[in-house]
Amino acid sequence: MCSRLYSVALVALSIALSGCAEATNDVTAVATESATPAAFNVTGAPMIEFSVPDMMCEEGCGAATREILAEQAGVKEVKIDFPSKLAVVAVDQEKFNVDKALAELIDHGFDKSTLKASAAQ
């Protein structure tokens, strides 16, 4: 019985870990839908869009993308549009480095990431 329970737990763990390599346990980093979506970039900061086609799951990859970009200097807010595979970043132009942010995404396994559009350039 114990060996069977161990096998089931091992299979469940394998399935859970095989989705996205960059999962996070930070509950605040996971985008959730609600009846009233939170406003994004209410201050009108310049926005930059990254195409992140390597995001495979919203809970793991989407959250990891948000965390990677949020840690960059000059980032005010990050919004993940998972169905479109986009990350929209509201930034302080004087502090944000687009090339460094893109390099961080690529370094974390989001190899096909590109700069999509920018109102800050």
Side-chain angles (χ1 to χ4, degrees):
M1 177 68 173
C2 202
S3 138
R4 185 174 179 192
L5 182 59
Y6 176 72
S7 296
V8 170
L10 187 58
V11 169
L13 181 61
S14 296
I15 290 170
L17 295 177
S18 66
C20 293
E22 296 291 329
T24 180
N25 289 331
D26 184 1
V27 175
T28 61
V30 177
T32 58
E33 291 185 30
S34 65
T36 308
F40 176 73
N41 194 22
V42 294
T43 62
M47 292 188 294
I48 298 173
E49 290 184 333
F50 293 93
S51 173
V52 190
D54 299 326
M55 287 191 292
M56 297 299 155
C57 59
E58 190 168 5
E59 296 79 21
C61 295
T65 299
R66 176 190 312 275
E67 185 175 319
I68 291 163
L69 292 171
E71 291 175 351
Q72 303 303 305
V75 171
K76 295 179 179 240
E77 290 182 80
V78 178
K79 177 182 175 185
I80 302 298
D81 180 353
F82 184 75
S84 300
K85 308 288 185 171
L86 292 176
V88 183
V89 184
V91 300
D92 176 338
Q93 283 182 274
E94 295 177 15
K95 297 178 182 177
F96 185 73
N97 183 323
V98 174
D99 295 328
K100 184 177 183 307
L102 188 56
E104 284 294 321
L105 286 170
I106 292 169
D107 285 349
H108 283 85
F110 299 105
D111 300 335
K112 296 178 183 173
S113 299
T114 59
L115 181 63
K116 182 162 174 63
S118 172
Q121 291 185 342

